[in-house]
Amino acid sequence: MRRLALALASLVLLAGCGGGAGDLLSITASGGVAGGRHTVVVSGDGRGSCDRGPLKELPSDRVIEARAVERDAADLAKRSATYPPRPDARSYTLHTKAGEVRWSEGAPSLPSVLPRAQLLELQLEQLLCRNR
């Protein structure tokens, strides 16, 4: 019985090896003056997609910033932080493995990581969503 349990545990560990990189983060932006809705995703292997379209290689500086945003927003995501929406403002949702954060542009007293995430979303949208 013990051998069977060890064998099964080994198979589970092996099955986890060699899998995909998974998503590092995703940011959904909608509404506001820009209108529309897009979700940009950065994968752990340095690629990104727009609205779950084809993956494209990202510039290393964007991947580094995505990792920094993921790290710096971890506590906010763990507690599912939500900042009150502002009328007619663009709304954002950041998803990471730690959880989710919601806010809108121009909301007062935002932690500094959230405007950085907004800028990252805009840059990724320009790279990934245009010319698809």
Side-chain angles (χ1 to χ4, degrees):
M1 186 67 166
R2 180 174 245 175
R3 278 189 206 174
L4 179 60
L6 287 172
L8 287 174
S10 296
L11 285 175
V12 168
L13 287 174
L14 287 173
C17 296
D23 292 346
L24 185 62
L25 61 77
S26 70
I27 306 171
T28 300
S30 61
V33 175
R37 177 185 173 93
H38 287 292
T39 299
V40 292
V41 178
V42 178
S43 66
D45 63 358
R47 297 182 298 162
S49 69
C50 176
D51 299 326
R52 293 291 177 182
L55 288 169
K56 300 177 186 175
E57 288 294 319
L58 293 174
S60 60
D61 61 335
R62 296 302 91 219
V63 177
I64 290 167
E65 180 61 10
R67 290 183 191 284
V69 165
E70 178 201 29
R71 179 191 64 236
D72 295 346
D75 288 338
L76 297 170
K78 284 177 190 170
R79 51 188 176 96
S80 300
T82 300
Y83 297 88
R86 293 174 42 107
D88 301 322
R90 195 147 174 84
S91 298
Y92 296 88
T93 304
L94 169 67
H95 291 274
T96 69
K97 290 177 181 149
E100 175 181 290
V101 183
R102 294 177 181 273
W103 75 99
S104 63
E105 63 188 357
S109 303
L110 285 177
S112 63
V113 67
L114 299 182
R116 286 179 31 227
Q118 286 176 224
L119 177 59
L120 177 64
E121 187 281 330
L122 178 63
Q123 293 166 335
L124 292 173
E125 187 177 318
Q126 289 174 347
L127 287 168
L128 300 169
C129 300
R130 314 264 159 100
N131 303 322
R132 286 197 286 168

